mmCIF file with all atom_site columns, all heavy atoms in Angstrom:
data_model
loop_
_atom_site.group_PDB
_atom_site.id
_atom_site.type_symbol
_atom_site.label_atom_id
_atom_site.label_alt_id
_atom_site.label_comp_id
_atom_site.label_asym_id
_atom_site.label_entity_id
_atom_site.label_seq_id
_atom_site.pdbx_PDB_ins_code
_atom_site.Cartn_x
_atom_site.Cartn_y
_atom_site.Cartn_z
_atom_site.occupancy
_atom_site.B_iso_or_equiv
_atom_site.pdbx_formal_charge
_atom_site.auth_seq_id
_atom_site.auth_comp_id
_atom_site.auth_asym_id
_atom_site.auth_atom_id
_atom_site.pdbx_PDB_model_num
ATOM   1   N  N   . CYS A 1 24  ? 199.194 162.285 -49.739 1.00 0.00 ? 296 CYS A N   1
ATOM   2   C  CA  . CYS A 1 24  ? 200.347 162.514 -50.602 1.00 0.00 ? 296 CYS A CA  1
ATOM   3   C  C   . CYS A 1 24  ? 201.561 162.715 -49.737 1.00 0.00 ? 296 CYS A C   1
ATOM   4   O  O   . CYS A 1 24  ? 201.507 163.444 -48.747 1.00 0.00 ? 296 CYS A O   1
ATOM   5   C  CB  . CYS A 1 24  ? 200.076 163.720 -51.487 1.00 0.00 ? 296 CYS A CB  1
ATOM   6   S  SG  . CYS A 1 24  ? 201.447 163.967 -52.648 1.00 0.00 ? 296 CYS A SG  1
ATOM   7   N  N   . LEU A 1 26  ? 204.064 164.383 -50.645 1.00 0.00 ? 298 LEU A N   1
ATOM   8   C  CA  . LEU A 1 26  ? 204.658 165.719 -50.941 1.00 0.00 ? 298 LEU A CA  1
ATOM   9   C  C   . LEU A 1 26  ? 203.817 166.877 -50.424 1.00 0.00 ? 298 LEU A C   1
ATOM   10  O  O   . LEU A 1 26  ? 202.645 166.653 -50.067 1.00 0.00 ? 298 LEU A O   1
ATOM   11  C  CB  . LEU A 1 26  ? 204.920 165.864 -52.439 1.00 0.00 ? 298 LEU A CB  1
ATOM   12  C  CG  . LEU A 1 26  ? 205.747 164.778 -53.091 1.00 0.00 ? 298 LEU A CG  1
ATOM   13  C  CD1 . LEU A 1 26  ? 206.144 165.159 -54.512 1.00 0.00 ? 298 LEU A CD1 1
ATOM   14  C  CD2 . LEU A 1 26  ? 207.013 164.463 -52.301 1.00 0.00 ? 298 LEU A CD2 1
ATOM   15  N  N   . HIS A 1 27  ? 204.373 168.081 -50.410 1.00 0.00 ? 299 HIS A N   1
ATOM   16  C  CA  . HIS A 1 27  ? 203.646 169.237 -49.874 1.00 0.00 ? 299 HIS A CA  1
ATOM   17  C  C   . HIS A 1 27  ? 203.759 170.374 -50.799 1.00 0.00 ? 299 HIS A C   1
ATOM   18  O  O   . HIS A 1 27  ? 204.133 171.519 -50.352 1.00 0.00 ? 299 HIS A O   1
ATOM   19  C  CB  . HIS A 1 27  ? 204.320 169.578 -48.523 1.00 0.00 ? 299 HIS A CB  1
ATOM   20  C  CG  . HIS A 1 27  ? 204.323 168.427 -47.534 1.00 0.00 ? 299 HIS A CG  1
ATOM   21  N  ND1 . HIS A 1 27  ? 205.383 168.220 -46.727 1.00 0.00 ? 299 HIS A ND1 1
ATOM   22  C  CD2 . HIS A 1 27  ? 203.447 167.487 -47.276 1.00 0.00 ? 299 HIS A CD2 1
ATOM   23  C  CE1 . HIS A 1 27  ? 205.166 167.153 -45.961 1.00 0.00 ? 299 HIS A CE1 1
ATOM   24  N  NE2 . HIS A 1 27  ? 203.983 166.620 -46.317 1.00 0.00 ? 299 HIS A NE2 1
ATOM   25  N  N   . CYS A 1 28  ? 203.405 170.175 -52.070 1.00 0.00 ? 300 CYS A N   1
ATOM   26  C  CA  . CYS A 1 28  ? 203.667 171.246 -53.057 1.00 0.00 ? 300 CYS A CA  1
ATOM   27  C  C   . CYS A 1 28  ? 202.891 172.522 -52.794 1.00 0.00 ? 300 CYS A C   1
ATOM   28  O  O   . CYS A 1 28  ? 201.694 172.453 -52.471 1.00 0.00 ? 300 CYS A O   1
ATOM   29  C  CB  . CYS A 1 28  ? 203.287 170.722 -54.453 1.00 0.00 ? 300 CYS A CB  1
ATOM   30  S  SG  . CYS A 1 28  ? 204.190 169.224 -54.832 1.00 0.00 ? 300 CYS A SG  1
ATOM   31  N  N   . PHE A 1 30  ? 201.925 174.556 -54.946 1.00 0.00 ? 302 PHE A N   1
ATOM   32  C  CA  . PHE A 1 30  ? 200.996 174.883 -56.009 1.00 0.00 ? 302 PHE A CA  1
ATOM   33  C  C   . PHE A 1 30  ? 199.953 173.817 -56.194 1.00 0.00 ? 302 PHE A C   1
ATOM   34  O  O   . PHE A 1 30  ? 199.260 173.732 -57.183 1.00 0.00 ? 302 PHE A O   1
ATOM   35  C  CB  . PHE A 1 30  ? 201.798 175.068 -57.303 1.00 0.00 ? 302 PHE A CB  1
ATOM   36  C  CG  . PHE A 1 30  ? 202.782 173.968 -57.544 1.00 0.00 ? 302 PHE A CG  1
ATOM   37  C  CD1 . PHE A 1 30  ? 202.366 172.680 -57.918 1.00 0.00 ? 302 PHE A CD1 1
ATOM   38  C  CD2 . PHE A 1 30  ? 204.133 174.203 -57.336 1.00 0.00 ? 302 PHE A CD2 1
ATOM   39  C  CE1 . PHE A 1 30  ? 203.306 171.673 -58.055 1.00 0.00 ? 302 PHE A CE1 1
ATOM   40  C  CE2 . PHE A 1 30  ? 205.034 173.192 -57.473 1.00 0.00 ? 302 PHE A CE2 1
ATOM   41  C  CZ  . PHE A 1 30  ? 204.617 171.922 -57.839 1.00 0.00 ? 302 PHE A CZ  1
ATOM   42  N  N   . CYS A 1 31  ? 199.798 172.938 -55.185 1.00 0.00 ? 303 CYS A N   1
ATOM   43  C  CA  . CYS A 1 31  ? 198.859 171.839 -55.312 1.00 0.00 ? 303 CYS A CA  1
ATOM   44  C  C   . CYS A 1 31  ? 197.427 172.306 -55.597 1.00 0.00 ? 303 CYS A C   1
ATOM   45  O  O   . CYS A 1 31  ? 196.970 173.288 -55.003 1.00 0.00 ? 303 CYS A O   1
ATOM   46  C  CB  . CYS A 1 31  ? 198.907 171.030 -53.957 1.00 0.00 ? 303 CYS A CB  1
ATOM   47  S  SG  . CYS A 1 31  ? 197.772 169.633 -54.040 1.00 0.00 ? 303 CYS A SG  1
ATOM   48  N  N   . SER A 1 32  ? 196.745 171.585 -56.473 1.00 0.00 ? 304 SER A N   1
ATOM   49  C  CA  . SER A 1 32  ? 195.368 171.992 -56.838 1.00 0.00 ? 304 SER A CA  1
ATOM   50  C  C   . SER A 1 32  ? 194.328 171.383 -55.925 1.00 0.00 ? 304 SER A C   1
ATOM   51  O  O   . SER A 1 32  ? 193.142 171.607 -56.098 1.00 0.00 ? 304 SER A O   1
ATOM   52  C  CB  . SER A 1 32  ? 195.101 171.596 -58.286 1.00 0.00 ? 304 SER A CB  1
ATOM   53  O  OG  . SER A 1 32  ? 195.192 170.205 -58.443 1.00 0.00 ? 304 SER A OG  1
ATOM   54  N  N   . ASN A 1 33  ? 194.765 170.543 -54.938 1.00 0.00 ? 305 ASN A N   1
ATOM   55  C  CA  . ASN A 1 33  ? 193.767 169.971 -54.011 1.00 0.00 ? 305 ASN A CA  1
ATOM   56  C  C   . ASN A 1 33  ? 193.131 171.069 -53.239 1.00 0.00 ? 305 ASN A C   1
ATOM   57  O  O   . ASN A 1 33  ? 193.693 172.145 -53.047 1.00 0.00 ? 305 ASN A O   1
ATOM   58  C  CB  . ASN A 1 33  ? 194.445 168.982 -53.069 1.00 0.00 ? 305 ASN A CB  1
ATOM   59  C  CG  . ASN A 1 33  ? 194.829 167.668 -53.727 1.00 0.00 ? 305 ASN A CG  1
ATOM   60  O  OD1 . ASN A 1 33  ? 195.517 166.876 -53.110 1.00 0.00 ? 305 ASN A OD1 1
ATOM   61  N  ND2 . ASN A 1 33  ? 194.340 167.405 -54.903 1.00 0.00 ? 305 ASN A ND2 1
ATOM   62  N  N   . GLY A 1 68  ? 195.356 162.219 -57.679 1.00 0.00 ? 340 GLY A N   1
ATOM   63  C  CA  . GLY A 1 68  ? 195.159 162.344 -56.209 1.00 0.00 ? 340 GLY A CA  1
ATOM   64  C  C   . GLY A 1 68  ? 195.421 163.786 -55.844 1.00 0.00 ? 340 GLY A C   1
ATOM   65  O  O   . GLY A 1 68  ? 195.050 164.712 -56.571 1.00 0.00 ? 340 GLY A O   1
ATOM   66  N  N   . GLY A 1 69  ? 196.207 163.995 -54.725 1.00 0.00 ? 341 GLY A N   1
ATOM   67  C  CA  . GLY A 1 69  ? 197.041 163.146 -53.979 1.00 0.00 ? 341 GLY A CA  1
ATOM   68  C  C   . GLY A 1 69  ? 197.919 162.259 -54.830 1.00 0.00 ? 341 GLY A C   1
ATOM   69  O  O   . GLY A 1 69  ? 198.114 162.448 -55.990 1.00 0.00 ? 341 GLY A O   1
ATOM   70  N  N   . GLU A 1 70  ? 198.513 161.273 -54.119 1.00 0.00 ? 342 GLU A N   1
ATOM   71  C  CA  . GLU A 1 70  ? 199.375 160.349 -54.806 1.00 0.00 ? 342 GLU A CA  1
ATOM   72  C  C   . GLU A 1 70  ? 198.610 159.024 -54.970 1.00 0.00 ? 342 GLU A C   1
ATOM   73  O  O   . GLU A 1 70  ? 198.421 158.335 -53.908 1.00 0.00 ? 342 GLU A O   1
ATOM   74  C  CB  . GLU A 1 70  ? 200.699 160.160 -54.020 1.00 0.00 ? 342 GLU A CB  1
ATOM   75  C  CG  . GLU A 1 70  ? 201.620 159.086 -54.582 1.00 0.00 ? 342 GLU A CG  1
ATOM   76  C  CD  . GLU A 1 70  ? 201.831 159.226 -56.051 1.00 0.00 ? 342 GLU A CD  1
ATOM   77  O  OE1 . GLU A 1 70  ? 202.491 160.209 -56.510 1.00 0.00 ? 342 GLU A OE1 1
ATOM   78  O  OE2 . GLU A 1 70  ? 201.391 158.383 -56.848 1.00 0.00 ? 342 GLU A OE2 1
ATOM   79  N  N   . SER A 1 96  ? 203.662 161.447 -58.682 1.00 0.00 ? 368 SER A N   1
ATOM   80  C  CA  . SER A 1 96  ? 204.846 162.142 -58.291 1.00 0.00 ? 368 SER A CA  1
ATOM   81  C  C   . SER A 1 96  ? 206.070 161.148 -58.421 1.00 0.00 ? 368 SER A C   1
ATOM   82  O  O   . SER A 1 96  ? 207.226 161.550 -58.349 1.00 0.00 ? 368 SER A O   1
ATOM   83  C  CB  . SER A 1 96  ? 204.810 162.638 -56.866 1.00 0.00 ? 368 SER A CB  1
ATOM   84  O  OG  . SER A 1 96  ? 204.786 161.554 -55.966 1.00 0.00 ? 368 SER A OG  1
ATOM   85  N  N   . GLN A 1 121 ? 208.105 167.758 -58.966 1.00 0.00 ? 393 GLN A N   1
ATOM   86  C  CA  . GLN A 1 121 ? 207.800 168.734 -57.936 1.00 0.00 ? 393 GLN A CA  1
ATOM   87  C  C   . GLN A 1 121 ? 209.045 168.760 -57.031 1.00 0.00 ? 393 GLN A C   1
ATOM   88  O  O   . GLN A 1 121 ? 209.918 167.974 -57.200 1.00 0.00 ? 393 GLN A O   1
ATOM   89  C  CB  . GLN A 1 121 ? 206.600 168.389 -57.115 1.00 0.00 ? 393 GLN A CB  1
ATOM   90  C  CG  . GLN A 1 121 ? 205.290 168.431 -57.859 1.00 0.00 ? 393 GLN A CG  1
ATOM   91  C  CD  . GLN A 1 121 ? 204.777 167.074 -58.132 1.00 0.00 ? 393 GLN A CD  1
ATOM   92  O  OE1 . GLN A 1 121 ? 205.553 166.096 -58.144 1.00 0.00 ? 393 GLN A OE1 1
ATOM   93  N  NE2 . GLN A 1 121 ? 203.495 166.966 -58.362 1.00 0.00 ? 393 GLN A NE2 1
ATOM   94  N  N   . ARG A 1 364 ? 201.616 172.679 -48.495 1.00 0.00 ? 636 ARG A N   1
ATOM   95  C  CA  . ARG A 1 364 ? 200.412 171.817 -48.494 1.00 0.00 ? 636 ARG A CA  1
ATOM   96  C  C   . ARG A 1 364 ? 200.598 170.687 -47.472 1.00 0.00 ? 636 ARG A C   1
ATOM   97  O  O   . ARG A 1 364 ? 200.889 169.565 -47.842 1.00 0.00 ? 636 ARG A O   1
ATOM   98  C  CB  . ARG A 1 364 ? 200.090 171.256 -49.885 1.00 0.00 ? 636 ARG A CB  1
ATOM   99  C  CG  . ARG A 1 364 ? 198.910 170.287 -49.943 1.00 0.00 ? 636 ARG A CG  1
ATOM   100 C  CD  . ARG A 1 364 ? 199.190 169.283 -51.015 1.00 0.00 ? 636 ARG A CD  1
ATOM   101 N  NE  . ARG A 1 364 ? 198.126 168.375 -51.292 1.00 0.00 ? 636 ARG A NE  1
ATOM   102 C  CZ  . ARG A 1 364 ? 197.933 167.172 -50.682 1.00 0.00 ? 636 ARG A CZ  1
ATOM   103 N  NH1 . ARG A 1 364 ? 198.704 166.852 -49.736 1.00 0.00 ? 636 ARG A NH1 1
ATOM   104 N  NH2 . ARG A 1 364 ? 196.938 166.349 -51.118 1.00 0.00 ? 636 ARG A NH2 1
HETATM 105 S  S1  . SF4 C 2 .   ? 200.628 168.724 -56.340 1.00 0.00 ? 972 SF4 C S1  1
HETATM 106 FE FE1 . SF4 C 2 .   ? 202.168 167.920 -54.906 1.00 0.00 ? 972 SF4 C FE1 1
HETATM 107 S  S2  . SF4 C 2 .   ? 201.149 167.896 -52.894 1.00 0.00 ? 972 SF4 C S2  1
HETATM 108 FE FE2 . SF4 C 2 .   ? 199.519 168.103 -54.427 1.00 0.00 ? 972 SF4 C FE2 1
HETATM 109 S  S3  . SF4 C 2 .   ? 198.867 165.995 -54.833 1.00 0.00 ? 972 SF4 C S3  1
HETATM 110 FE FE3 . SF4 C 2 .   ? 200.386 166.510 -56.385 1.00 0.00 ? 972 SF4 C FE3 1
HETATM 111 S  S4  . SF4 C 2 .   ? 202.360 165.809 -55.509 1.00 0.00 ? 972 SF4 C S4  1
HETATM 112 FE FE4 . SF4 C 2 .   ? 200.873 165.849 -53.825 1.00 0.00 ? 972 SF4 C FE4 1
#
Side-chain angles (χ1 to χ4, degrees):
Chain A
C296 184
L298 304 190
H299 305 141
C300 303
F302 45 74
C303 181
S304 61
N305 285 169
E342 175 50 68
S368 68
Q393 293 107 337
R636 176 211 186 271

